[in-house]
Amino acid sequence: MHRVMILALGIMLFLGACSGPGSDGDRAASSTLRFNLGTSARNHIVTTAENALLTRYGYRLDRRVDTAEDVRLETSWKEVTALEDERLSGYTQVRVRVSVTARPRSRAGGIGSTFAARMVAECEGQPAVGGNWVEVPITSEREAYFEEIAEYLENEFKGGVM
């Protein structure tokens, strides 16, 4: 019985590797999603994104850059429960990472300058048979999770300037 399960899992992984991007196009093949979050003041972006990622979504910051010309908040990899469509793709463990970056819309500078913010979301998984972390095509369920974070941040940035 154990051999049959391993054989079935091996066949599923092989067929999944041979399938290519399929009808979903490039999105299905990508382990990364990018979102434009709009504009706001630098301090508002930093405070809002930090609070949301740490408190609301339970990430830990791995890297924080906050200068007059560059904002980069990058989380550590966070292991999450594999969603149904990820399990069906053969992954038992999944980890995700989110980065928020912002750049001035104008190089004129000044305290009141407005920054344009972006979010990048990444996903990796481990096949059921174990092994190294590999890039995982973002499934529709995982995309919905990342879209929720992006929409929350976008709405908060629109909500006001601190």
Side-chain angles (χ1 to χ4, degrees):
M1 178 68 175
H2 193 300
R3 285 185 182 179
V4 172
M5 291 173 69
I6 291 175
L7 180 61
L9 201 58
I11 291 171
M12 183 171 56
L13 288 173
F14 177 76
L15 292 175
C18 294
S19 66
S23 61
D24 285 344
D26 291 336
R27 189 207 61 80
S30 180
S31 64
T32 304
L33 286 176
R34 289 174 174 73
F35 300 91
N36 289 319
L37 303 176
T39 60
S40 191
R42 180 185 55 79
N43 289 338
H44 187 233
I45 290 172
V46 171
T47 303
T48 301
E50 249 182 7
N51 287 338
L53 293 173
L54 298 174
T55 306
R56 184 178 179 99
Y57 295 102
Y59 286 91
R60 281 190 248 153
L61 284 183
D62 187 41
R63 182 175 177 208
R64 182 183 192 274
V65 174
D66 181 9
T67 68
E69 291 294 317
D70 188 30
V71 171
R72 175 179 271 297
L73 303 172
E74 185 175 291
T75 69
S76 300
W77 287 104
K78 176 182 171 184
E79 290 191 34
V80 294
T81 304
L83 300 171
E84 182 66 26
D85 53 1
E86 291 165 336
R87 286 192 298 273
L88 290 173
S89 295
Y91 298 98
T92 57
Q93 295 185 16
V94 175
R95 66 182 184 178
V96 294
R97 176 169 64 181
V98 174
S99 299
V100 174
T101 59
R103 295 278 182 153
R105 289 188 63 192
S106 167
R107 296 289 179 198
I111 292 177
S113 69
T114 302
F115 279 57
R118 294 186 66 189
M119 182 180 106
V120 176
E122 301 170 84
C123 189
E124 291 185 343
Q126 284 184 324
V129 294
N132 295 330
W133 289 101
V134 295
E135 292 181 349
V136 173
I138 294 178
T139 63
S140 59
E141 289 180 46
R142 184 63 62 197
E143 184 175 3
Y145 165 76
F146 287 136
E147 284 176 350
E148 175 192 321
I149 296 172
E151 287 175 17
Y152 177 81
L153 290 172
E154 184 178 10
N155 288 334
E156 290 297 308
F157 294 161
K158 286 179 187 175
V161 177
M162 297 174 89

